[in-house]
Amino acid sequence: MTDPPIPAATLVIFRERDGAPPELLMVERSERLAFAGGALVFPGGRVDEGDRLLAATLPGDPDDTAARIAAIRETVEEAGLAVGVDLAADALPGLRTALHAGKVFGPALASVGGRLRLDALVPFARWVPPHRLARTFDTRFYLARLPEGAATASVDRTENTRLLWASARDVLAEADAGRARIIFPTRRNLERLAQFATFDEAAADAARFPIRTVTPWEEERGGVPHLCIPDDLGYPVIAEPLRAAMRG
């Protein structure tokens, strides 16, 4: 009997530029990590008990609310950015330090006068891989615009070794050239995000499609085994040869 997937959340942060495609924040995971070691991913991680406790005090679906809170918290921890939360600039370093020390997010946020803005996060996708023998994650993806006057992002150097801002097309090009690694869900989401010139375009596209769990499956196409996803959720590429697909 396998364990149920672990609830997780990730945040796709848009930094818009005049006359150029928006840049997205990516972090490179440490090679030593069991899940997606050495790969570029969006900031995020598992939903913890503190996220669920805080969600229980707020209106709305508790699972979605806890996932939004986790995405915000993990972004503070991993990148030193306050996205989806109103917080004085000089309070951010202290909040990040408290979280790295293991403090529960709700009380830590309250202690520095922070206030959640969960509506700043736009639901985009939800993925659960089909692995039967490995630890799996039920990951919700959210979009958010980088706030004006945001702090300079900085890597935490615990789970991640570096961070970068790059357009979706540039990240895909780096992966195709062998200079970066991206796992199958990240690649499919980058291909979808590469279609949009602005955050508003991406948010409008997200609203057009239901948030339905994506679980890839294996299927032969043209005599070649492929890893496939549904064709009705807005993804421009829905299959990749299994031998080329990087899985977490």
Side-chain angles (χ1 to χ4, degrees), residues 1-62:
M1 183 176 180
T2 57
D3 293 329
I6 300 165
T10 193
L11 195 54
V12 182
I13 304 170
F14 282 65
R15 185 169 75 176
E16 293 184 293
R17 303 177 293 167
D18 291 337
E23 294 178 319
L24 309 176
L25 181 64
M26 309 289 295
V27 295
E28 184 174 272
R29 289 175 60 79
S30 169
E31 292 276 2
R32 63 180 172 78
L33 296 175
F35 176 76
L40 290 177
V41 298
F42 304 110
R46 68 176 63 202
V47 178
D48 68 19
E49 185 60 25
D51 303 326
R52 286 186 279 268
L53 290 172
L54 181 53
T57 69
L58 300 171
D61 174 70

Side-chain angles (χ1 to χ4, degrees), residues 152-178:
T152 300
S154 59
V155 72
D156 58 357
R157 297 198 178 278
T158 54
E159 292 185 355
N160 306 303
T161 57
R162 69 179 177 116
L163 58 74
L164 67 141
W165 290 97
S167 72
R169 290 187 184 279
D170 285 346
V171 177
L172 290 166
E174 288 293 291
D176 290 342

Side-chain angles (χ1 to χ4, degrees), residues 179-214:
R179 293 188 293 267
R181 287 190 281 171
I182 49 177
I183 59 176
F184 183 84
T186 306
R187 177 177 283 276
R188 301 287 82 86
N189 281 301
L190 284 168
E191 289 161 349
R192 185 176 169 191
L193 293 163
Q195 301 174 105
F196 311 122
T198 65
F199 171 80
D200 288 336
E201 284 186 15
D205 180 79
R208 290 178 53 223
F209 295 96
I211 302 300
R212 196 171 80 233
T213 301
V214 179

Side-chain angles (χ1 to χ4, degrees), residues 10-11 13 25 43-44 70-83 96 154:
T10 193
L11 195 54
I13 304 170
L25 181 64
I72 292 167
R73 173 184 53 77
E74 289 280 350
T75 300
V76 172
E77 292 183 29
E78 295 185 353
L81 288 177
V83 179
R96 191 183 194 189
S154 59

Side-chain angles (χ1 to χ4, degrees), residues 184 214-219 221 226-230 238-240:
F184 183 84
V214 179
T215 297
W217 70 91
E218 296 180 18
E219 177 182 309
R221 298 192 174 186
H226 279 67
L227 197 59
C228 309
I229 62 172
I238 59 169
E240 181 178 357

